[in-house]
Amino acid sequence: MPSERYRWETLEALKGSSKGQLSYSRDWLLRGEDILEGCRSPPKLSSYSGWVLDRVISQSLQETPLSRSSTPNESIPPTDDQPPSLAKTASPASQLGSSPLSSAAPSETKGNEDLSLLETDHDVHLMVLPSKVTEVEGCIWMYEEVHRLKGKEGLRQRQEQQEQVVRAVSDMASEQLKRFDELKELKQHQEYQDLQEVMEKSSREAQGQQEKLKEEHRHRAKILNLKLREAEQQRQRQEELERLRKEEGQERLRRLYSIQEEVLQLNQQIDPNYRHKDLPRIDLSGFSNRGNQICGLVSGLIRTTSERGFPTQVDVASTERALQEMRGLISSMQQEIATALEEKRKRDEEEERERQKELQKQEQLKAQTPVPAQHPRGKEQKEVLGLQVKAEESTMQWYQQLQDASDQCVASFSGLTDCKDNQVKHIRMDLQKAASIPVSQISSIAGSQLREIFDKINNLLSGKSVQSGGRTVSVTQHPQGLDFVYYKLAEKFVKQGEEEVASHHEAAFPIAVVASGIWELHPRVGDLILAHLHKKCPYSVPFYPAFKEGTPIEEYQRILGYQVKDSKVEQQDNFLKRMSGMIRLYAAIIQLRWPYGNKQVSHPHGLGHGWRWLAQMLNMEPLSDVTATLLFDFLEVCGNALMKHYQVQFWKMLLLIREDYFHRIEAITISGQMGSLMRLKQFLEKCLQRKEIPLPKGYLSSSFWRS
């Protein structure tokens, strides 16, 4: 109908007016906002307008049935008792009721759609009255209020429910956390209790073990104390026994020394060169030989017992028997002398009677020419001379001169050795190293090496600076430096013979050739070498030191060449080894010369001294074990050179040794000392059989000096 159309136009006009653009909200007063806030912004329809209109129109149509006319656009006007509503033709779309939630989202869009629907649908006639608008507005407000309250109540309920859930979850989490903390605390407490129990158990076990160990320790300590007391008592008993044994041994040793001293004194009474003025024909060499043998036996017995420790009663008995034999030997000699004197006295008396008869005959025949008296001694036999015990006087003078020169040399550098100044001590140490180290480096590796060592020693003695131990050394650093180096160098040469040559016989030749060259250029070194050699090995003179009354036995053994340490004499084998090394060095020195020296100058101590030494050795009484060893060593090293130089005379000397002197050595050699004697015998027989003495092992040939 037209009115319906005008009604929608009116709504459209109102909607387009400024008032229709006003926006307001029923919640302004509740929120405390200004009621005119909507005038400041364009008005807008509520988002629920379209839905409310649909619901209101639908409800009005149900309450007041429309009368249909011939024309489809007619509508039944509302009565006064009915509420104002909109008249609209029912359509399938309008009859479908939708909830506010489903229509709330596209509210404004749906409202526009409803307005367009009202414009296009001519079958629906909408009549809006003022009371109806108010009712609709009230319904809208009521619905919105209810909806808001419901939403608020739902929201409140949901918030309360959420808060309850949160509180429940929080309480549950708090309770779980408490239970977890309680469980953790319980677990920690249990672990602590377990640990405490374990510690207490371990402590109890440790205490029990400690108590057990203490008890065991006390028990062991008691046992150890008992054992210690027993060991101490045993030690005291052993010490007492050892003390008694030592006292007895020392007493027996003193007894042996006293017996040896008495034997030596008795042996001095036997002089092999002794000639009684009234008994020129008597020969005491047999007594002297036997006396020397007894002295050798006693000395060997004492050395053997010293090596073992202390002598036994058997050793004392043996030395006492030797003493008794020596006394018996002296008694026999004295008896023989007494018998010879008695016989001489009788012969003298007989001669006196014969002389008286001759005198009487001479008186009777005064007129005749006197006839010379005939003496029975005209049939006197040739005197048989014995061997010497002492060296020749000239040899002893030479020996003493060398020792005096050595003592003077020592006195000349006493200021260097006795000085306490550190600088002087360093100088002394450097000089000693510079003199000793090159000699220690001598070997038979190459001739060039020997030449370097020789030049180094020669430069040092000539006052030049040499390098030693990384330092520059010269004898000019101290006024007494040269004498000190002379002495130490000679001492080192002899010590090399005593140690190095004694162990390695071939080492004698390189050491000897360097010593010979230094001797030739520096004669004082040679004299000091001889002095050291004679002092350590008196047999190199040759010289057999005699025992002097009052001399201690240990000192006498040192004079003989033995090493005595702590009242103990060195073993015989070691003694012979050292003597052999020094004799070999001496035998090598007398035959070697430095190949780069002056050929026109003679050897400072040549083969003539070796011949003199050999002759004097054969003119002296042999010593058991010593003489055979030294003769073998000397002939093995120097025999070839002596053979070439003396030829026939040397072979005569060897024959004399084999035929005569060897038997003298054999007579005094005991069974335990036959080794050196057999070596000498085999050497003599081999050389005499081949008529040649081979070159010694280690001899430096001409090719050595080209290396």
Side-chain angles (χ1 to χ4, degrees):
M1 1 183 3
S3 58
E4 187 73 19
R5 184 173 56 85
Y6 295 148
R7 202 175 295 163
W8 284 107
E9 292 177 353
T10 302
L11 290 174
E12 285 292 326
L14 289 174
K15 182 180 177 182
S17 66
S18 60
K19 290 183 179 181
Q21 298 295 325
L22 292 175
S23 63
Y24 64 91
S25 176
R26 298 180 182 90
D27 299 329
W28 285 347
L29 294 176
L30 296 177
R31 292 196 299 266
E33 296 179 358
D34 190 0
I35 196 169
L36 298 179
E37 183 69 23
C39 298
R40 300 185 182 95
S41 59
K44 294 181 181 180
L45 289 177
S46 172
S47 59
Y48 299 99
S49 299
W51 180 81
V52 170
L53 287 175
D54 290 339
R55 297 288 294 181
V56 170
I57 292 172
S58 176
Q59 186 176 2
S60 298
L61 290 177
Q62 290 177 2
E63 290 179 357
T64 305
L66 295 177
S67 60
R68 298 189 173 268
S69 60
S70 58
T71 60
N73 294 331
E74 288 184 354
S75 62
I76 300 174
T79 61
D80 296 336
D81 57 351
Q82 290 177 342
S85 61
L86 294 174
K88 185 179 180 181
T89 303
S91 64
S94 63
Q95 291 176 359
L96 293 174
S98 59
S99 66
L101 296 175
S102 61
S103 62
S107 59
E108 186 176 355
T109 306
K110 188 174 181 180
N112 295 330
E113 290 177 356
D114 292 336
L115 290 177
S116 61
L117 181 63
L118 288 176
E119 290 179 356
T120 56
D121 191 358
H122 298 281
D123 294 334
V124 180
H125 302 278
L126 181 63
M127 180 177 62
V128 180
L129 297 178
S131 60
K132 201 70 172 175
V133 170
T134 304
E135 184 181 357
V136 170
E137 185 72 20
C139 290
I140 292 171
W141 186 88
M142 288 296 293
Y143 185 82
E144 289 179 351
E145 185 68 19
V146 171
H147 185 73
R148 185 182 63 80
L149 291 175
K150 285 181 180 181
K152 186 176 182 180
E153 182 64 21
L155 179 62
R156 186 183 61 78
Q157 290 177 0
R158 289 187 65 183
Q159 286 179 350
E160 289 178 357
Q161 185 180 3
Q162 188 70 22
E163 288 176 357
Q164 289 177 359
V165 172
V166 170
R167 281 195 299 271
V169 172
S170 177
D171 293 341
M172 184 176 63
S174 182
E175 290 297 326
Q176 289 180 354
L177 183 61
K178 288 180 181 180
R179 300 292 83 76
F180 178 77
D181 292 339
E182 290 174 358
L183 182 63
K184 184 177 180 181
E185 184 178 359
L186 178 62
K187 187 175 181 181
Q188 289 179 351
H189 182 70
Q190 290 177 352
E191 290 179 354
Y192 176 76
Q193 290 293 335
D194 294 342
L195 181 61
Q196 189 173 6
E197 289 177 1
V198 171
M199 291 179 64
E200 289 177 356
K201 184 178 180 181
S202 300
S203 178
R204 289 193 298 271
E205 291 178 356
Q207 289 179 356
Q209 187 70 18
Q210 188 175 7
E211 292 296 330
K212 184 177 179 181
L213 290 175
K214 285 182 179 179
E215 183 64 27
E216 186 177 356
H217 177 70
R218 285 193 293 270
H219 180 66
R220 289 185 178 181
K222 187 183 296 184
I223 295 175
L224 286 176
N225 288 332
L226 292 175
K227 290 184 178 180
L228 285 174
R229 283 196 294 271
E230 292 178 359
E232 182 65 21
Q233 294 175 358
Q234 183 68 20
R235 186 185 64 80
Q236 291 177 356
R237 287 194 297 269
Q238 290 180 354
E239 286 182 353
E240 184 66 21
L241 293 175
E242 184 68 18
R243 185 182 62 80
L244 294 175
R245 188 182 69 82
K246 285 184 178 180
E247 289 180 355
E248 293 176 358
Q250 290 176 354
E251 183 63 28
R252 287 194 291 268
L253 187 60
R254 284 193 293 269
R255 176 60 180 162
L256 288 182
Y257 284 150
S258 63
I259 292 174
Q260 185 184 23
E261 184 176 1
E262 186 176 354
V263 168
L264 291 174
Q265 290 176 355
L266 292 175
N267 189 47
Q268 286 182 344
Q269 298 179 14
I270 306 174
D271 189 355
N273 295 326
Y274 171 77
R275 294 293 182 270
H276 197 279
K277 61 180 181 178
D278 296 328
L279 301 173
R281 298 180 181 179
I282 190 171
D283 185 9
L284 302 179
S285 59
F287 295 100
S288 177
N289 292 336
R290 185 53 188 165
N292 290 333
Q293 292 176 4
I294 293 174
C295 291
L297 290 173
V298 172
S299 299
L301 185 60
I302 290 177
R303 282 195 300 271
T304 304
T305 55
S306 298
E307 294 170 1
R308 288 202 310 264
F310 292 103
T312 61
Q313 192 62 36
V314 177
D315 299 330
V316 176
S318 300
T319 54
E320 287 180 349
R321 286 195 299 270
L323 177 60
Q324 293 296 330
E325 185 179 357
M326 179 62 78
R327 290 173 179 172
L329 186 65
I330 296 296
S331 299
S332 300
M333 185 186 70
Q334 291 176 352
Q335 290 178 3
E336 184 173 348
I337 292 175
T339 303
L341 288 174
E342 183 65 24
E343 292 177 355
K344 183 179 179 302
R345 185 182 61 78
K346 292 179 180 180
R347 286 198 304 270
D348 290 342
E349 292 178 356
E350 184 67 26
E351 289 177 358
E352 185 64 26
R353 286 194 295 268
E354 291 293 333
R355 190 180 299 109
Q356 292 294 332
K357 291 179 181 180
E358 288 294 332
L359 290 175
Q360 291 176 3
K361 290 179 180 179
Q362 289 178 2
E363 290 178 356
Q364 294 175 0
L365 301 173
K366 289 180 181 180
Q368 301 176 358
T369 303
V371 178
Q374 300 292 329
H375 301 282
R377 286 176 294 182
K379 299 178 181 179
E380 185 175 62
Q381 297 179 356
K382 183 179 179 181
E383 182 180 5
V384 179
L385 299 177
L387 297 180
Q388 301 174 0
V389 175
K390 298 180 180 179
E392 295 180 357
E393 187 67 25
S394 59
T395 302
M396 294 307 300
Q397 290 178 359
W398 175 59
Y399 166 79
Q400 193 60 45
Q401 290 174 1
L402 293 174
Q403 297 303 318
D404 293 341
S406 177
D407 295 339
Q408 291 174 4
C409 183
V410 173
S412 66
F413 60 80
S414 59
L416 178 60
T417 55
D418 298 338
C419 184
K420 303 300 182 182
D421 183 64
N422 290 332
Q423 185 176 0
V424 177
K425 287 182 180 179
H426 286 307
I427 293 174
R428 182 177 69 239
M429 186 63 65
D430 292 340
L431 289 175
Q432 185 170 351
K433 289 181 180 179
S436 302
I437 292 177
V439 180
S440 302
Q441 295 173 345
I442 294 176
S443 64
S444 57
I445 297 176
S448 58
Q449 183 188 25
L450 280 188
R451 190 167 185 178
E452 291 177 2
I453 294 173
F454 177 86
D455 292 339
K456 189 173 184 179
I457 298 173
N458 185 37
N459 291 336
L460 178 65
L461 297 177
S462 301
K464 299 179 181 178
S465 297
V466 297
Q467 293 293 324
S468 178
R471 301 181 62 175
T472 303
V473 184
S474 174
V475 294
T476 59
Q477 292 177 331
H478 195 275
Q480 301 173 0
L482 183 59
D483 291 335
F484 179 76
V485 172
Y486 278 154
Y487 188 86
K488 290 299 179 181
L489 182 63
E491 184 181 43
K492 184 62 179 178
F493 273 121
V494 177
K495 190 173 183 180
Q496 285 295 99
E498 184 182 11
E499 297 176 355
E500 182 67 19
V501 180
S503 301
H504 306 91
H505 294 166
E506 299 85 354
F509 295 97
I511 297 173
V513 74
V514 175
S516 177
I518 296 297
W519 193 338
E520 184 176 334
L521 296 177
H522 306 277
R524 194 174 177 188
V525 176
D527 294 340
L528 292 173
I529 289 175
L530 289 176
H532 283 291
L533 186 65
H534 292 169
K535 188 173 183 178
K536 288 191 173 183
C537 179
Y539 313 105
S540 62
V541 178
F543 166 48
Y544 300 161
F547 179 79
K548 296 181 180 179
E549 188 175 357
T551 304
I553 298 299
E554 294 180 0
E555 183 63 27
Y556 179 63
Q557 289 172 337
R558 289 191 181 94
I559 294 174
L560 291 175
Y562 289 93
Q563 290 181 347
V564 182
K565 294 181 180 179
D566 299 331
S567 301
K568 291 186 178 181
V569 185
E570 68 174 327
Q571 297 181 358
Q572 183 71 6
D573 292 342
N574 190 50
F575 165 74
L576 292 174
K577 183 179 179 181
R578 292 191 302 105
M579 298 299 110
S580 173
M582 287 184 279
I583 286 296
R584 284 179 174 272
L585 178 62
Y586 179 69
I589 288 176
I590 63 177
Q591 64 174 310
L592 292 178
R593 294 195 63 181
W594 182 246
Y596 304 103
N598 189 357
K599 302 297 183 180
Q600 298 178 355
V601 180
S602 61
H603 195 295
H605 196 81
L607 287 173
H609 291 272
W611 182 263
R612 178 195 60 80
W613 182 87
L614 184 59
Q616 289 194 5
M617 280 290 290
L618 299 179
N619 285 331
M620 299 178 69
E621 283 289 340
L623 294 179
S624 176
D625 209 11
V626 175
T627 303
T629 300
L630 299 185
L631 280 177
F632 170 74
D633 292 327
F634 184 83
L635 291 174
E636 187 180 44
V637 176
C638 195
N640 182 270
L642 291 174
M643 176 194 68
K644 293 178 179 178
H645 188 75
Y646 292 99
Q647 298 181 357
V648 177
Q649 296 298 324
F650 177 74
W651 291 111
K652 290 181 179 180
M653 185 79 75
L654 290 187
L655 286 172
L656 175 64
I657 295 173
R658 189 185 69 174
E659 300 298 335
D660 181 49
Y661 199 73
F662 180 81
H663 298 293
R664 290 178 178 269
I665 301 174
E666 189 176 16
I668 64 170
T669 303
I670 60 178
S671 58
Q673 301 173 348
M674 296 297 292
S676 58
L677 186 67
M678 296 308 297
R679 283 194 297 270
L680 177 62
K681 181 179 180 181
Q682 292 173 2
F683 177 80
L684 292 173
E685 290 179 352
K686 182 178 179 181
C687 294
L688 290 172
Q689 182 179 2
R690 297 182 179 181
K691 299 296 182 181
E692 183 182 5
I693 296 181
L695 280 172
K697 187 177 180 180
Y699 187 82
L700 304 180
S701 60
S702 57
S703 60
F704 171 79
W705 299 105
R706 293 193 294 270
S707 60

